[in-house]
Amino acid sequence: MTRVLVLNGPNLGRLGRRQPEIYGATTYDELAELCEGWGAELGLEVEVRQTNHEGDLLDWLNDAADEQTPVVLNAAAWTHYSYALYDACAQLVAPLVEVHISDPGQRPEVFRHTSVVTPHAATVIAGQGIDGYRQALEFLAAG
Ligand code: DQA
C-alpha cells in the first residue's frame, strides 16, 4: 500500500474554530479522520500531521525525501514566506500536492499571493474547502 503524508502547518489545528467563515466548520480531528477514510478507499495508507513549529515540518519533509514518500502539504502561512520550506520541498522525490482550503490567490492580503511551495508541486488545489484534501489524495492515487 502506498504511504502518503498529509502535512499541515500553523493554526490548522484550530480548524472548525478558526475563522469558520473562511475555513469552514470541519475540525482538524474530523479532517484527519476524513483523510484516512478517503485514503483507505483509494488504497493509500494516509498519515495526517499538524504542527505550529516550522522545524517539525522541515524534519517531516526531510524524512519524506529520504523515504520517497508522496506528500499532501498545506503549509498555511509558511507557504508565503519560508525559504527553508522552499528548500525542503525542492528535494522531494515523490510527488508533492499543495493544498489550501481557501484560495489564497483570491484573498485580499497580497502576501498570500506568493507560494514557495508551488514551484515544487505536481499540482495545486486551492479554494475547494476540505474536499481539496480528497482531491489531492485522488491525484496521488491516480499516479
Ligand atoms: C491556508 C491559506 C493561508 O494563506 C493561510 O495562512 C492558512 C491556511 C488555507 O488552507 O487556505 O493558514 O493555507
Side-chain angles (χ1 to χ4, degrees):
M1 210 186 245
T2 304
R3 186 164 165 261
V4 174
L5 284 173
V6 177
L7 303 181
N8 293 284
N11 304 310
L12 290 170
R14 292 187 48 76
L15 278 179
R17 287 171 288 167
R18 170 195 184 205
Q19 296 183 282
E21 69 284 6
I22 296 176
Y23 300 113
T26 306
T27 66
Y28 173 75
D29 286 347
E30 288 166 347
L31 170 69
E33 213 171 289
L34 283 166
C35 286
E36 285 161 14
W38 290 326
E41 284 168 19
L42 292 163
L44 304 171
E45 186 194 323
V46 171
E47 190 178 333
V48 187
R49 300 180 191 166
Q50 188 274 329
T51 183
N52 290 332
H53 306 279
E54 190 176 354
D56 288 343
L57 182 61
L58 300 176
D59 288 345
W60 295 341
L61 289 168
N62 290 345
D63 290 345
D66 285 344
E67 293 159 15
Q68 307 196 6
T69 307
V71 173
V72 173
L73 176 61
N74 185 348
W78 293 326
T79 303
H80 308 305
Y81 66 88
S82 169
Y83 296 123
L85 177 62
Y86 176 97
D87 285 344
C89 290
Q91 62 177 338
L92 292 174
V93 183
L96 166 67
V97 180
E98 177 178 358
V99 168
H100 300 284
I101 297 165
S102 67
D103 184 351
Q106 299 300 316
R107 291 179 62 180
E109 301 96 338
V110 172
F111 76 83
R112 293 190 206 278
H113 301 173
T114 298
S115 169
V116 303
V117 177
T118 299
H120 310 298
T123 190
V124 180
I125 299 169
Q128 303 294 308
I130 292 301
D131 193 62
Y133 287 82
R134 186 191 59 75
Q135 294 173 35
L137 293 169
E138 212 167 54
F139 176 89
L140 291 174

